Amino acid sequence: MAKIPPGVGPRFPQVVLLFGATGDLARRKLLPGLHHLSSTGFMPGCRIIGVSLDEIDIETFRALARQALEEFSTRKLTEDDWAAFAQRLDYVPLSSGAGALRAAVERAERDLGADSRRLHYLSVPPSAALAAVRLLGEAGLVERSRIVMEKPFGTDLASAVSLNAQLHQVFAEDQIFRIDHFLGKEPAQNILAFRFANGLFEPIWNRNFIDHVQIDVPETLGLGKRAGFYEQTGAYRDMVVTHLFQILAFMAMEPPTALAPAPISEEKNKVFRSMLPLQPADVVRGQYTGYRAEPGVDPESETETFIAVKCFIDNWRWAGVPFYLRTGKRLAEGKRIISIAFREPPKSMFPAGSGVGAQGPDHLTFDLADASKMSLSFYGKRPGPGMRLDKLSLQFAMHDTGLAGEVLEAYERLILDAMRGDHTLFTTAEGIERLWQVSTALLEAPPPVRLYEPGSWGPKSIHQLIAPQAWRLPFERAWRDPNSLGS
């Protein structure tokens, strides 16, 4: 087993209350993640108390947990690991009430010692979150605790302000961790390292050298079993406010005074304060053909399954630079791409037909998928007589380092950070309320949804939105395979 670096894990033993413990997210991500953190020594002292509506006993919950690990864990489950993890599991049906919940926590804390801490993870629908918060208050489990909230954090400014006010009646803001699993991914954090650890790109990371930025997260998946949730939410609330704007903040923020949670959160919030209100004319909403026939969907639904947005950050660094954000269901490919397009040279000395400019501007591209890749494209001379130019690229992938196996999954990293009280990758109340504020005009007067075919890149009007530029996806070239000969 690899030695865990000091300071990576929490300082104190942890009692984890997992609300929604029998739900899909818990089965797919949270239970496998907690098992990995426990079995590898990231959190050597822990107890996990499952809480849900299901009237089951501890042995049934343990059987469900084992099935989840065998089905969804990316690491091999050994009998010894499972036996140790099973002893850390407990279960309390929600119907048992506050007293039973407190009794289970007290049992766990007697085993772990008086200096243990509590982590409450609310893997529940938004409609159930405040009831869980009130139950924790009634059970007297607020002290020495932190609480993790799943998106969405409200549906507009008024609901976000109300939600935060009710949360703050029970938990202080520094106890609340609003989770965005996109920011828990290694590639997203690598943006901070890339920008602030290197002197090469920071001097040109501004309006003088960058023409525009694209953040593109198309999905091939449909709704699955989320029709009820999605009908009330749509692509903008589901993805843009909670995910894409957070990535934008990492891309656009000023250098923090220190690589610490408070300075980083402050710089992210400065980006949100500088965002101009979104204009409905700068937004394309789409809906894939056949969406209205999905089970649980209104036959006359105007919910968008696709959204493309042009937004601006009105500060010294970014004034006039458009940021294009796109995401949607049932699209041609599943990707997570950030693409920075650099300004073209002010004058070309190359002869007509040389190829310069024919394949668009130079780009720096981050692939935020788990493979964690970066590419810098540029024009270079084609070998041979004359001056013919081709688009070339420098590429890097996490696999090149030989350390890809040490990458924590997003939820694992974020659970660890919450246990340690590190807010770097989480959203503040101020930040989320500001994002709903700049969204007000769009939410009050959304443009009509336009149909698009499943397997396409969205409605055709997205090309007018970005003109005279072009969307990077689909790419003009494939990523090189680092395992192929001559790569």
Side-chain angles (χ1 to χ4, degrees):
M1 184 183 301
K3 182 176 175 61
I4 306 303
V8 171
R11 293 173 53 202
F12 303 102
Q14 301 287 320
V15 178
V16 179
L17 266 73
L18 180 55
F19 285 77
T22 59
D24 191 59
L25 178 62
R27 292 174 58 248
R28 288 177 177 273
K29 296 293 184 181
L30 303 180
L31 287 168
L34 287 165
H35 169 259
H36 179 239
L37 294 176
S38 172
S39 63
T40 53
F42 279 103
M43 48 176 206
C46 76
R47 295 292 184 274
I48 299 159
I49 303 170
V51 184
S52 85
L53 292 169
D54 291 315
E55 297 288 339
I56 58 176
D57 59 18
I58 176 60
E59 291 307 321
T60 304
F61 177 60
R62 286 174 176 166
L64 290 173
R66 174 152 192 169
Q67 183 181 10
L69 299 188
E70 290 174 343
E71 188 173 354
F72 297 110
S73 178
T74 58
R75 292 102 176 172
K76 183 175 175 56
L77 180 68
T78 69
E79 285 300 325
D80 288 346
D81 282 346
W82 166 248
F85 187 66
Q87 292 305 308
R88 295 178 171 135
L89 297 177
D90 198 355
Y91 184 81
V92 177
L94 200 58
S95 61
S96 297
L101 201 60
R102 182 168 184 86
V105 171
E106 289 176 343
R107 284 196 304 273
E109 290 179 341
R110 282 196 295 271
D111 290 342
L112 294 176
D115 61 347
S116 60
R117 300 291 187 266
R118 303 157 181 167
L119 182 75
H120 310 311
Y121 197 118
L122 304 192
S123 177
V124 297
S127 57
L130 285 175
V133 168
R134 288 190 286 269
L135 180 64
L136 290 168
E138 183 185 345
L141 298 175
V142 175
E143 185 184 3
R144 295 183 286 111
S145 75
R146 298 179 175 117
I147 183 167
V148 180
M149 307 284 296
E150 281 284 343
K151 69 176 179 75
F153 315 115
T155 57
D156 55 18
L157 179 58
S159 61
V161 170
S162 173
L163 173 62
N164 285 327
Q166 293 180 76
L167 283 174
H168 292 156
Q169 290 175 5
V170 182
F171 290 92
E173 176 64 19
D174 64 359
Q175 292 178 284
I176 302 170
F177 292 77
R178 299 169 187 83
I179 195 167
D180 173 10
H181 72 273
F182 269 49
L183 294 188
K185 292 181 175 294
E186 199 75 31
Q189 298 161 57
N190 207 24
I191 296 170
L192 294 180
F194 185 88
R195 285 194 59 192
F196 302 130
N198 303 297
L200 181 59
F201 285 101
E202 186 59 26
I204 60 172
W205 208 265
N206 57 59
R207 63 187 300 274
N208 296 319
F209 297 94
I210 292 177
D211 181 80
H212 66 278
V213 177
Q214 296 180 34
I215 301 175
D216 212 350
V217 186
E219 298 181 289
T220 57
L221 299 175
L223 297 185
K225 299 179 181 178
R226 302 173 71 219
F229 165 79
Y230 208 81
E231 267 290 273
Q232 302 299 316
T233 308
Y236 183 78
R237 290 180 172 95
D238 185 38
M239 290 291 291
V240 177
V241 176
T242 49
H243 294 323
L244 274 62
F245 280 155
Q246 303 302 321
I247 295 172
L248 182 152
F250 269 22
M251 292 298 302
M253 63 189 277
E254 296 296 320
T257 55
L259 203 64
I264 290 176
S265 292
E266 174 58 16
E267 295 304 334
K268 286 173 59 184
N269 285 341
K270 284 181 182 177
V271 172
F272 299 147
R273 286 179 222 138
S274 300
M275 286 179 66
L276 294 176
L278 294 177
Q279 301 304 312
D282 290 333
V283 176
V284 174
R285 297 169 69 237
Q287 186 185 92
Y288 65 78
T289 304
Y291 171 76
R292 294 175 182 177
E294 298 267 11
V297 172
D298 183 344
E300 298 181 358
S301 174
E302 291 295 310
T303 300
E304 79 279 357
T305 62
F306 172 96
I307 190 96
V309 175
K310 176 167 66 174
C311 59
F312 294 90
I313 300 169
D314 193 26
N315 62 16
W316 191 274
R317 184 183 290 260
W318 296 113
V321 176
F323 286 74
Y324 297 100
L325 283 55
R326 176 174 65 167
T327 187
K329 299 288 187 185
R330 300 290 302 275
L331 296 176
E333 295 181 40
K335 297 286 185 183
R336 294 168 183 160
I337 296 293
I338 303 171
S339 187
I340 297 100
F342 294 101
R343 294 192 183 278
E344 297 190 39
K347 179 176 174 57
S348 177
M349 63 197 69
F350 295 92
S354 66
V356 68
Q359 297 187 51
D362 300 336
H363 283 88
L364 177 64
T365 303
F366 295 86
D367 185 341
L368 299 189
D370 293 333
S372 185
K373 293 183 274 195
M374 290 185 288
S375 172
L376 177 63
S377 69
F378 55 91
Y379 285 97
K381 183 182 178 300
R382 182 186 301 177
M387 184 58 73
R388 290 282 297 165
L389 280 73
D390 288 325
K391 207 64 177 292
L392 309 173
S393 66
L394 300 172
Q395 295 186 7
F396 160 81
M398 182 63 70
H399 290 286
D400 296 339
T401 66
L403 300 174
E406 299 187 16
V407 173
L408 288 177
E409 292 195 344
Y411 281 100
E412 296 170 357
R413 168 64 187 261
L414 293 168
I415 288 170
L416 270 187
D417 283 356
M419 288 177 173
R420 294 166 54 227
D422 186 336
H423 278 88
T424 301
L425 303 176
F426 297 85
T427 308
T428 65
E430 177 192 340
I432 199 67
E433 289 177 15
R434 173 58 183 166
L435 290 174
W436 286 122
Q437 185 180 17
V438 301
S439 305
T440 298
L442 171 62
L443 298 177
E444 290 180 347
V449 292
R450 301 172 184 271
L451 294 179
Y452 65 95
E453 290 300 316
S456 70
W457 287 101
K460 291 182 171 54
S461 50
I462 61 171
H463 302 296
Q464 284 80 51
L465 179 70
I466 202 171
Q469 292 92 15
W471 293 100
R472 289 295 322 278
L473 288 174
F475 277 141
E476 70 273 9
R477 72 183 61 77
W479 290 94
R480 286 196 293 271
D481 180 359
N483 298 314
S484 65
L485 187 65
S487 62

